[in-house]
Amino acid sequence: MTVLRALWSEMQDTCTSLGLMLSVVLLAGLARVVARQQQLHRPMAHAFVLEFLATLQLCCCTHELLLLSEQEPAHPTWPLTLIYFFTLVHGLTLVGTSSNPCGVMMQMMLGGMSPEMGAVRLLAQLIGALGSRYCIGALWSLGLTKYHVSERSFACKNPIQVDLPKAVIVEALCSFIFHSALLNFQEVRPKLRIHLLAALITFLVYAGGSLTGAVFNPALALSLHFKCFDEAFLQFFIVYWLAPSLGILLMILMFSFFLPWLYNNHTINKKE
């Protein structure tokens, strides 16, 4: 009987955490509906609100997912299952937003977004990332589960378990692979594309999570590790901001310049 009570206590905390994440998704979705119904005549303001809500939702849910994964270290498949599920949820609810500065950078470099719109979206992501820390701190201060402690959200737990060059390679490679898939999955049916991207993100987290956390999102990294940025700014700036940006740059250079050049050279050689 005691074992059953302990098991129920653990399940109750997990269910509460899941309910909290779904509540955040629902509230953010409701706010998006209200924003769309207002039909803001200024596209910049509309884009700012949607990007802010998307980043806030992503960061809050990731904080809670990180907390859950720390409570189940012996069952790594459970956190990965949750990552896959909530990636699907984000993919379905955050259509039209990126909640990732690297995504905005990619669109601007490819000419799909003006610099002004890009700056507005980046500002919204920054505010959403920082705001999520205070939102999650306020939620944890309610003590809904025994793991919820408001001070935890402001503690620094360095996720970098390798030396700096390897950490840069991991984050740059994750960013390169993910955004390459994002760019080349555009013609895939939306329902299938969401599952493919969710599976890819889950795999990248599984492969690189024990090394750097496999964040490959500067806004999310700022939200999760803000205190670490304060204590070791240069290291975290290089790993979580510069490295994903480098991955984007290499991806664009490869798909926009190197591969077309290689193809043209191959075609010319065949004709000769």
Side-chain angles (χ1 to χ4, degrees), residues 31-42 46 49:
R32 280 191 294 271
V33 170
V34 172
R36 289 192 176 101
Q37 286 182 345
Q38 294 298 321
Q39 301 200 355
L40 298 174
H41 298 292
R42 293 180 294 178
H46 194 217
V49 171

Side-chain angles (χ1 to χ4, degrees), residues 28-244:
L30 180 61
R32 280 191 294 271
V33 170
V34 172
R36 289 192 176 101
Q37 286 182 345
Q38 294 298 321
Q39 301 200 355
L40 298 174
H41 298 292
R42 293 180 294 178
M44 294 283 189
H46 194 217
F48 179 90
V49 171
L50 294 183
E51 199 68 52
F52 166 78
L53 291 171
T55 307
L56 186 73
Q57 173 183 317
L58 175 66
C59 292
C60 286
C61 290
T62 307
H63 273 284
E64 194 67 30
L65 277 174
L66 190 61
L67 178 65
L68 279 177
S69 66
E70 291 175 358
Q71 311 311 320
E72 295 289 343
H75 302 88
T77 56
W78 171 238
L80 291 174
T81 302
L82 290 178
I83 289 170
Y84 180 81
F85 173 75
F86 276 95
T87 302
L88 287 180
V89 172
H90 296 320
L92 291 170
T93 58
L94 304 183
V95 178
T97 59
S98 64
S99 56
N100 187 339
C102 290
V104 174
M105 185 189 305
M106 180 180 72
Q107 293 182 56
M108 286 195 294
M109 287 184 175
L110 294 175
M113 184 180 295
S114 67
E116 294 80 8
M117 179 62 77
V120 168
R121 288 182 179 270
L122 289 174
L123 179 61
Q125 291 171 358
L126 175 63
I127 296 174
L130 295 176
S132 68
R133 289 180 56 81
Y134 296 99
C135 287
I136 204 70
L139 290 172
W140 285 350
S141 67
L142 299 176
L144 298 176
T145 75
K146 63 183 179 182
Y147 307 120
H148 286 169
V149 181
S150 60
E151 290 78 10
R152 186 193 178 282
S153 61
F154 298 100
C156 172
K157 290 189 176 181
N158 193 336
I160 302 175
Q161 303 299 319
V162 292
D163 56 35
L164 185 60
K166 290 181 181 178
V168 169
I169 291 172
V170 170
E171 287 294 317
L173 190 59
C174 286
S175 182
F176 179 93
I177 293 172
F178 172 70
H179 287 94
S180 297
L182 199 64
L183 184 65
N184 289 281
F185 285 176
Q186 295 298 321
E187 297 182 1
V188 179
R189 288 185 295 114
K191 291 183 179 179
L192 177 60
R193 182 171 68 242
I194 291 173
H195 282 277
L196 289 174
L197 291 174
L200 178 61
I201 290 174
T202 305
F203 169 75
L204 291 175
V205 172
Y206 172 75
S210 61
L211 303 176
T212 64
V215 182
F216 53 92
N217 181 335
L220 180 58
L222 182 64
S223 178
L224 294 177
H225 309 301
F226 181 79
K227 189 67 176 178
C228 295
F229 274 92
D230 183 41
E231 296 178 3
F233 176 78
L234 185 60
Q235 180 188 26
F236 277 74
F237 176 77
I238 292 172
V239 173
Y240 292 113
W241 287 2
L242 288 187

